[in-house]
Amino acid sequence: MEDLESLWNRLVAHERQTSLLTSIVSILSWDERTGLPPRGAEWRAEQLAYLAGQVHQRRTSTELGDLLERLRESELAADPHSDRGATIARLKHDYDKERKLPQRLVEELSRAEVLGQQAWVEARAARDFARFRPSLETNLRLRREQADATGYESNRYDALLDSYEPGETTENVRRALSDLRAALLPLLARVRDSGVPQDDSILHGDFPVDAQRRIGRRAAEAIGFDFERGRLDETDHPFCTEAGPHDHRILTRYDAGGFAQAFYGTLHEAGHGIYEQGLRSAFYGLPPGAFVSLGLHESQSRLWENLVGRSRSFWEFLYGEVRQAFPAALGAIGLDSFWRAVNVVRPSLIRVEADELTYNLHIIARFELEEALVRGDLPVDELPAAWNAKYAEYLGIVPPHDGVGVLQDVHWSAALFGYFPTYALGNLYAGHWFEAAQRDLGDLDAMFRVGDFVPLRRWLNEHLHRHGRCYLPPELLQRVCGQSLSSRPLIAYLNAKLDRLLDRS
Ligand code: ZN
């Protein structure tokens, strides 16, 4: 009879080999999005498909299944929050889920994702939802099948949500987001009724890209992104990826005619990177060294981007340098005007360009629509009209055409249902973490003012990052804040900020 220690070692070795493959996939994907010559795409697709097959085989292998089955009942699994217990519990969860998917469905889904995205690109360019409709119907059908194969308790959407936000339920998300919506609409009205102009025109002008690169790197470094273990590059679609325990890569996009996009994009991705760099590298490739959910990931990017990066104290620290870097655009602009410009609140059509406050309304609309689609309560035909009605109700604007309406995001074309709410959950979580950090650390503004972000980053390392997947997000929230998910901290933060922004006395 093999002893527990050697079973455990075999499990670790198995997962370590899988992580060698997945990190090779990451580096190939990174290269694909940064420097691949156009004619290299076809071979790259073959490389990636080959590796994806290898990874899938390892994750569903009977060897892994046997190991997990034997360890599951052992004393190593007794505490599901310990490093070993969580490893066994989370891997077992992943394994069972992956094994329940018929190979046919996996292949159909991967084909549908590619075809769906092609159809979406064409439909969006033609501003014609009808061209995308058949793909959307296929994607929905396949994800419903997936949910039925993996199983769920009361709501099919729960099974999809589990891929991105384990531990969360549709019911709980619906409650949190409808509370959030109810609290945001009066805030939006408050901005509108104040008569304070929402003008960010000073952020558009002459912003040489070289200086933007320098300032972006400076800010990422200041908040704690470690360039010994990471790098910053350029791409069309900003993201963050990791290719090893000490190799974290963030990507951003520059626009010589504007400051905000690249700067906040960089801070956002650096926030994701800081989370990844805060995971315990000794557990790389195992649940204790992996991120726990997309919502938690997003809470880290949003916290640095918004709660820190749009604070007055942050700009008291950095504005002098930024002003010097862009004398033509900002030479005559004072700190107060600049801070107001990066905090403009103004309903707009496009999610990725939305401000900190209205962004959530874009997400809530998408969540409500996709949940109704998955449930079967909203026929695909009626989606564009339903979309426009939500925008009219929540944001007071109606898209002039579907290209800037229902067709604006890639997610549904790639069959990503259950993904959208994680963006808003990230904002809610960020509100909770920031409130708790303030309680523990005292006057964060005084630290930001002098460019000291170390205490906040260490706090996040200690309370969130180092746990990896040992606690699910709702459990972390209980541990750290003694609360369950609520819009209260985020709304209190937004209210306090508006008090200052709208005060012209
Ligand atoms: Zn993000």
Side-chain angles (χ1 to χ4, degrees), residues 268-269 272 298 301 423:
H268 180 97
E269 300 306 332
H272 282 304
E298 194 69 3
S301 55
Y423 293 119

Side-chain angles (χ1 to χ4, degrees), residues 101-110 142-143 145-146 149:
L101 289 182
Q103 188 62 30
R104 170 198 58 80
L105 184 57
V106 173
E107 284 165 16
E108 267 189 77
L109 266 166
S110 82
L142 294 173
R143 285 299 184 201
E145 258 185 68
Q146 178 196 319

Side-chain angles (χ1 to χ4, degrees), residues 415-453:
L416 300 173
F417 301 99
Y419 191 113
F420 276 126
T422 67
Y423 293 119
L425 293 177
N427 287 331
L428 294 179
Y429 275 119
H432 280 286
W433 309 140
F434 202 70
E435 184 183 69
Q438 227 149 6
R439 176 199 67 202
D440 289 355
L441 300 172
D443 192 353
L444 290 175
D445 284 321
M447 302 172 198
F448 298 168
R449 224 168 265 135
V450 295
D452 184 8
F453 304 98

